Amino acid sequence: MTSQTFGVQDLTLTSVSGSNVDSMTQLHDSYDLAGLTLPNRVVMAPMTRVRSNPEGLATASTATYYAQRASAGLIVSEGVHPHVEGQSNPLTPGLATDEQAASWVQVTDAVHNHGGRIFAQLMHGGRVGHPDNTGGLQPVGPSAVAAPGRGFTPKGPQDFPTPRALSGDEVVEHAASYGEAAARGIGAGFDGVELHGANGYLIAQFLSSNANLRTDSYGGSIENRVRFAVEATAGAVEKVGGHRVGIRLSPDSGIWGVEETESRELYLALLEQLSPLGLAYVHLEATTDDDTLLALRKAWDGTLIMNPARPGGPTPAGPEDARRWLDNGADLISFGRAFIANPDLVERLRDGLPLAEADPATFYAGGDRGYIDYPTYRA
Ligand SMILES: Cc1cc2nc3c(=O)[nH]c(=O)nc-3n(C[C@H](O)[C@H](O)[C@H](O)COP(=O)(O)O)c2cc1C
């Protein structure tokens, strides 16, 4: 593993807006997240690790992994499917059943006992799935349009099948599954939930202009394309309260083949409709141009978590990205890969300690190696 040697306090960056770093918010400042006190502004980004048991249950290792990272201001869990038809990858955990919810109690207890806070990311894969991952269930989507490329299955990568287009009643059912899973998650001790509206999964498929070809009230115009996202989020708010609900968005990401025409208008319309719901936060990935990201920041009155690096980009988000986005109005900064390799990331950033680099070969490899064996810098 190689190291990088820089820390937040070493930076003398000029921000896009030209702000003075010294007078600005620091990553180690505390933050009131809708009544939940975060001791710092460092968020662990959601990361699928493909290490549940075959029934989609979280394990003792899952508890150890998150507890090791409990010094994060907030942990957002790996993507967790809210509906049995929404499981995207093999060996990913769920909140689709009471048994799956019960398996998370050991995780939320461990995080809380180590002084942390954790939201569950509700990730419905939609068309990004395979019957081999769901005991034979055909993936579902807004329309019968297959995602390009191949997805993970127990037999290795396989072409994505054409999804079954959801009927009108089923759209309502799948939107409601986020709220039902949110209630199970809160019952299992999570501090809140984040709807996965990013990266080409079900919500993003509805936002899309090429995955969503519906001619009913869920497709076509911007107003119709945002409807599923708004209904799913409102359903979760109704079940557990807006202060316990966030949503993750990745404008223009193109991930898993989703295209979005008029994307800036689309996301501005979405934020406008989410605004009255009193959400804990919007979690934005830097998947589009800075102009659009800054316009979205301006349009959203509430808490903004910024994930500053492109998913799959060669360099994980680091302290320089954090500084830049704090200067540009983000309230909290999420780090993905840096948290895999640095369970003590908060301490390393605060004290300017070297950062270890994560080994991509173990991201989805299963087992405890590359999962719970990254050391802290100090003993
Ligand atoms: C192994 C791995 C798994 C990921 N799984 C998810 C996921 O389940 N949900 C999600 O929203 N993003 C997921 N992401 C994207 C990260 O949350 C993050 O946006 C991305 O890694 C860029 O941030 P970074 O540069 O700090 O790593 C994943 C990324 C990695 C590396």
Side-chain angles (χ1 to χ4, degrees):
M1 279 177 223
T2 59
S3 294
Q4 301 163 300
T5 49
F6 41 51
V8 177
Q9 76 277 25
D10 300 330
L11 302 174
T12 50
L13 293 183
T14 308
S15 74
V16 172
S17 56
S19 330
N20 179 342
V21 168
D22 291 335
S23 66
M24 300 297 283
T25 302
Q26 303 293 331
L27 268 180
H28 49 267
D29 291 345
S30 65
Y31 189 75
D32 176 357
L33 182 70
L36 187 66
T37 302
L38 314 186
N40 59 68
R41 295 168 185 244
V42 179
V43 175
M44 179 174 170
M47 284 178 291
T48 293
R49 301 305 310 274
V50 192
R51 282 162 164 95
S52 78
N53 83 358
E55 283 76 48
L57 307 182
T59 68
S61 292
T62 320
T64 301
Y65 169 69
Y66 287 114
Q68 286 173 340
R69 288 154 181 81
S71 58
L74 179 69
I75 294 170
V76 184
S77 81
E78 62 211 277
V80 173
H81 45 277
H83 191 291
V84 285
E85 284 175 311
Q87 180 172 353
S88 186
N89 298 298
L91 298 180
T92 53
L95 273 171
T97 67
D98 290 343
E99 192 193 2
Q100 290 172 345
S103 75
W104 283 103
V105 174
Q106 62 190 318
V107 179
T108 57
D109 276 353
V111 169
H112 292 148
N113 289 340
H114 284 77
R117 296 137 297 278
I118 181 166
F119 273 40
Q121 189 189 52
L122 303 179
M123 169 176 155
H124 190 313
R127 69 178 187 165
V128 180
H130 196 281
D132 287 356
N133 300 340
T134 52
L137 297 171
Q138 188 186 359
V140 298
S143 303
V145 181
R150 302 197 290 171
F152 301 105
T153 77
K155 294 180 199 145
Q158 294 192 58
D159 286 349
F160 287 115
T162 301
R164 184 168 61 76
L166 293 167
S167 70
D169 285 350
E170 287 175 321
V171 171
V172 174
E173 175 200 327
H174 283 261
S177 74
Y178 291 88
E180 286 151 16
R184 280 185 212 104
I186 298 300
F190 281 103
D191 297 291
V193 297
E194 172 181 290
L195 278 76
H196 195 344
N199 302 354
Y201 297 105
L202 185 64
I203 291 176
Q205 290 157 30
F206 272 92
L207 294 172
S208 161
S209 39
N210 66 344
N212 178 358
L213 305 179
R214 298 181 77 92
T215 53
D216 63 6
S217 61
Y218 290 94
S221 65
I222 284 179
E223 194 190 349
N224 286 351
R225 280 193 276 147
V226 303
R227 195 179 306 281
F228 183 81
V230 174
E231 288 183 0
T233 312
V237 168
E238 201 183 309
K239 293 278 189 188
V240 301
H243 63 297
R244 287 177 165 147
V245 177
I247 185 167
R248 191 171 216 223
L249 303 171
S250 61
D252 289 325
S253 78
I255 295 174
W256 299 125
V258 291
E259 285 172 13
E260 294 154 349
T261 53
E262 305 169 274
S263 77
R264 191 185 294 201
E265 293 73 18
L266 178 79
Y267 283 92
L268 286 171
L270 176 57
L271 293 186
E272 192 181 337
Q273 294 214 28
L274 294 176
S275 185
L277 299 178
L279 298 185
Y281 64 80
V282 164
H283 188 174
L284 202 52
E285 294 180 43
T287 43
T288 188
D289 57 89
D290 279 2
D291 267 6
T292 303
L293 294 170
L294 292 169
L296 296 174
R297 161 67 290 189
K298 211 168 152 209
W300 179 249
D301 279 345
T303 296
L304 181 78
I305 306 179
M306 193 67 206
N307 181 233
R310 202 185 155 75
T315 318
E320 290 157 330
D321 305 298
R323 180 69 267 158
R324 181 164 169 272
W325 279 105
L326 286 174
D327 289 349
N328 279 300
D331 301 294
L332 305 167
I333 305 292
S334 68
F335 297 86
R337 289 163 286 179
F339 253 116
I340 290 180
N342 301 275
D344 54 346
L345 182 64
V346 170
E347 184 180 340
R348 293 194 198 214
L349 293 174
R350 190 192 60 217
D351 296 348
L353 300 172
L355 298 187
E357 210 171 276
D359 176 9
T362 59
F363 284 177
Y364 308 112
D368 286 347
R369 201 169 71 81
Y371 190 46
I372 56 173
D373 58 354
Y374 282 103
T376 53
Y377 189 78
R378 295 182 175 121

